[in-house]
């Protein structure tokens, strides 16, 4: 079986279950505010800053197999809008439930599982260590699942202009005149023709002076 890493009772995310006892049905409710650990969220996208307060409401219940922990974490996550790249804050509420198993036989003399039994299941199990349980891994998973993978500052955020990068929410009338490069040559030709017509009308076109003299004769 896979045991937890050595737990430190001074860690604010480590909880002592000795007071709860091992009688099935025993309950203990706890509230605690802790500092968010490092990398508490989706790295590079959104997360709870390291050291920010995280409020925990916990319910510890003694069951046959161990201690069932049900809880809610509340915190303020910070990130960047994926559309307009502006900083944003989001109130986070993450619910979680996890069973921490006894590493040995329980009070009724039920034998512990052999090392080879259900090896794959054991890899995913968490165990009570000297009466202590560590919630950091459980809490981290719950926070990641509760956070949006593509956070936005508002649901209808229009994002940035694809041509110049201006924030469209600040300039709702912003636009660019679309020009099709396939017509650029024809537009240049049309411009040349227009210039020629203007020259003829103004009498500046070549030969206009000679034509006028012939008409006089």
């Amino acid at each position: 079986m896979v045991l937890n890493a050595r737990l430190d009772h001074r860690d604010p995310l480590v909880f002592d279950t000795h007071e709860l006892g091992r009688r099935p049905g025993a309950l203990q409710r706890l509230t605690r505010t802790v500092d968010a650990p490092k990398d508490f969220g989706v790295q590079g996208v959104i997360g709870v800053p390291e050291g920010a307060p995280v409020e925990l409401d916990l319910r510890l219940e003694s069951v046959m197999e161990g201690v069932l922990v049900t809880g809610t974490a509340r915190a303020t996550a910070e990130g960047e809008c994926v559309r307009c790249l502006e900083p944003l804050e989001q109130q986070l509420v993450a619910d979680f439930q996890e069973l921490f198993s006894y590493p040995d036989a329980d009070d009724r003399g039920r034998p512990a599982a052999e090392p080879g039994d259900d090896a794959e299941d054991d890899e995913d199990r968490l165990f009570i260590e000297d009466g202590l349980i560590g919630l950091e891994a459980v809490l981290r998973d719950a926070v990641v699942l509760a956070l949006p993978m593509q956070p936005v500052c508002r649901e209808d955020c229009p994002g940035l202009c694809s041509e110049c990068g201006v924030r469209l929410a600040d300039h709702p009338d912003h636009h660019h005149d679309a020009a099709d490069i396939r017509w650029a040559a024809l537009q240049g030709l049309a411009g040349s023709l227009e210039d020629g017509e203007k020259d003829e009308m103004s009498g500046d076109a070549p030969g206009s002076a000679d034509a006028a003299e012939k008409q006089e004769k």
Side-chain angles (χ1 to χ4, degrees), residues 1-3 102-104 111-125 127:
M1 69 184 69
V2 179
L3 296 177
Y102 296 124
D104 53 8
E114 294 297 326
D117 294 347
D118 300 325
E120 292 183 1
D121 292 340
D122 281 350
E123 291 180 359
D124 297 328
R125 292 171 65 189
F127 292 88

Side-chain angles (χ1 to χ4, degrees), residues 35-168:
D35 293 339
K38 186 178 180 181
D39 298 330
F40 207 51
V42 183
Q43 190 171 8
V45 180
I46 188 171
V48 181
E50 183 178 2
V54 180
E55 298 178 0
L56 300 177
D57 291 321
L58 304 175
R59 180 178 183 268
L60 279 60
E61 180 181 2
S62 180
V63 296
M64 292 283 290
E65 298 85 359
V67 175
L68 180 65
V69 179
T70 305
T72 301
R74 295 180 175 85
T76 300
E78 297 179 2
E80 187 178 82
C81 177
V82 296
R83 296 179 187 171
C84 68
L85 307 182
E86 285 293 303
L88 60 83
E89 289 188 352
Q90 177 176 319
Q91 296 305 308
L92 167 72
V93 179
D95 297 320
F96 55 92
Q97 186 175 73
E98 189 68 42
L99 174 65
F100 288 80
S101 302
Y102 296 124
D104 53 8
D106 63 14
D107 289 343
R108 285 152 298 284
R110 182 180 53 180
E114 294 297 326
D117 294 347
D118 300 325
E120 292 183 1
D121 292 340
D122 281 350
E123 291 180 359
D124 297 328
R125 292 171 65 189
L126 295 173
F127 292 88
I128 301 170
E129 179 186 309
D130 297 330
L132 303 176
I133 57 176
L135 287 184
E136 181 172 341
V138 175
L139 195 56
R140 190 184 300 278
D141 289 345
V143 166
V144 170
L145 290 175
L147 289 171
M149 297 302 295
Q150 293 188 321
V152 292
C153 58
R154 68 185 201 198
E155 291 299 326
D156 60 346
C157 174
L160 303 176
C161 174
S162 59
E163 295 189 35
C164 66
V166 69
R167 187 169 182 261
L168 297 177

